[in-house]
Amino acid sequence: MPHVDIKCYPRELTEEQKKALADDISQVLQKHLQAAEHTVSVALGYISPEHWKTQVYDREIAPEMDNLAKKPGYEL
């Protein structure tokens, strides 16, 4: 039951673009984790640049740096 929680700076994506993004991510999870399509969920949340450090980096990225499958190429 993979769940992906995407956080990014605000973007003006149409519903079609959001669906395409979620479908692409779902296909990757199905391929690499052998997950059934109906078990995958994808969330998309927008975080303003001024809140990125406190709401995302300090809470989710920095404390989990050793567990990240892909580490960011920046430090805050």
Side-chain angles (χ1 to χ4, degrees):
M1 299 260 184
H3 173 72
V4 176
D5 186 5
I6 300 168
K7 293 178 180 71
C8 61
Y9 288 174
R11 303 279 193 263
E12 291 189 27
L13 298 177
T14 66
E15 289 303 314
E16 288 178 355
Q17 289 170 317
K18 290 176 189 177
K19 183 181 181 321
L21 173 63
D23 288 346
D24 287 351
I25 291 166
S26 179
Q27 289 176 11
V28 168
L29 293 173
Q30 291 172 59
K31 175 183 174 184
H32 292 280
L33 299 179
Q34 293 75 48
E37 189 277 331
H38 73 276
T39 67
V40 177
S41 55
V42 179
L44 179 59
Y46 298 127
I47 308 294
S48 64
E50 61 269 13
H51 292 114
W52 187 263
K53 181 178 183 332
T54 58
Q55 291 184 6
V56 179
Y57 191 85
D58 290 346
R59 291 182 187 179
E60 298 182 34
I61 297 173
E64 293 296 323
M65 197 62 76
D66 290 340
N67 298 320
L68 296 177
K70 182 184 182 315
K71 296 172 179 36
Y74 65 90
E75 293 181 21
L76 296 177

